[in-house]
Amino acid sequence: MPLLALAGSSVATAAPTTPPQPPPATATATPDPGRSEWPSQQEVMDAATVVGKAASTRWPRAYAGVAVDLPARLLLVQRIPTPGFDAAIRALVPAVTVRFADARYSELTLDAWVADISADYDYWQRRGIPLHAIGAEPGQYVEVGTDNPQHNAGRIRDHYPRMTLRVVQGSPSVPATAN
């Protein structure tokens, strides 16, 4: 067992007298042998579809996305807090656990930003700044991949001052070919 030594402490420690024991085995949730899916996978995936469609239609300025945790039979719904939203979403899928995470931006907003940057692809090419990837981190920001993010980030951010961007290293996509 590791011991903590505090700075300035004069406490002496001795080595353990028995070898450390491995932690007890715990049950883990895994797909059933011979099956390619988790128990209740279809139910959780169907619930995610129901939530995504309803939330994006009824609350487009609040809904930011949905993720699934199959082993936990859980939906994680990202949203800008809005009165009535959480209760209405839970009522849509009562058999599945739903948790909520606060988002900065709706899916609608981030999708519009991705579309705006994508429309400027040729603009950036002409300026020697190839954009290799553009995508949204649900509820948070748009990520832009380019050859030299340290050099290009300022120019890209200055061009889109109302957007929250993360400029990262990107590389050209390579088409997949069948053998």
Side-chain angles (χ1 to χ4, degrees), residues 32 35 37-47 69-74 95-96:
D32 293 335
R35 291 186 64 185
E37 61 183 46
W38 293 89
S40 303
Q41 177 174 330
Q42 194 59 51
E43 179 183 15
V44 174
M45 298 303 291
D46 290 347
D69 180 340
L70 295 174
R73 296 188 67 244
L74 167 80
V96 176

Side-chain angles (χ1 to χ4, degrees), residues 66-176:
V66 62
V68 299
D69 180 340
L70 295 174
R73 296 188 67 244
L74 167 80
L75 296 182
L76 176 63
V77 178
Q78 294 189 47
R79 52 56 175 137
I80 296 169
T82 301
F85 182 91
D86 295 7
I89 294 300
R90 280 193 176 103
L92 287 172
V93 290
V96 176
T97 302
V98 180
R99 292 210 179 107
F100 297 92
D102 289 351
R104 295 177 64 194
Y105 304 104
S106 69
E107 182 178 68
L108 183 70
T109 297
L110 291 174
D111 285 351
W113 290 356
V114 167
D116 288 349
I117 297 168
S118 296
D120 290 343
Y121 178 83
D122 290 336
Y123 169 89
W124 291 110
Q125 280 293 117
R126 290 190 304 272
R127 283 154 182 78
I129 302 175
L131 304 181
H132 300 303
I134 305 163
E137 176 63 30
Q140 302 305 313
Y141 54 82
V142 171
E143 186 170 278
V144 178
T146 187
D147 289 340
N148 189 342
Q150 293 77 18
H151 180 73
N152 299 328
R155 288 181 66 190
I156 294 170
R157 285 190 185 112
D158 288 349
H159 192 76
Y160 305 104
R162 64 178 170 63
M163 297 180 190
T164 300
L165 302 176
R166 181 172 178 234
V167 181
V168 299
Q169 182 68 44
S171 58
S173 61
V174 177

Side-chain angles (χ1 to χ4, degrees), residues 45-70:
M45 298 303 291
D46 290 347
T49 300
V50 167
V51 166
K53 285 180 180 178
S56 63
T57 302
R58 191 166 167 196
W59 297 278
R61 299 208 182 282
Y63 176 69
V66 62
V68 299
D69 180 340
L70 295 174

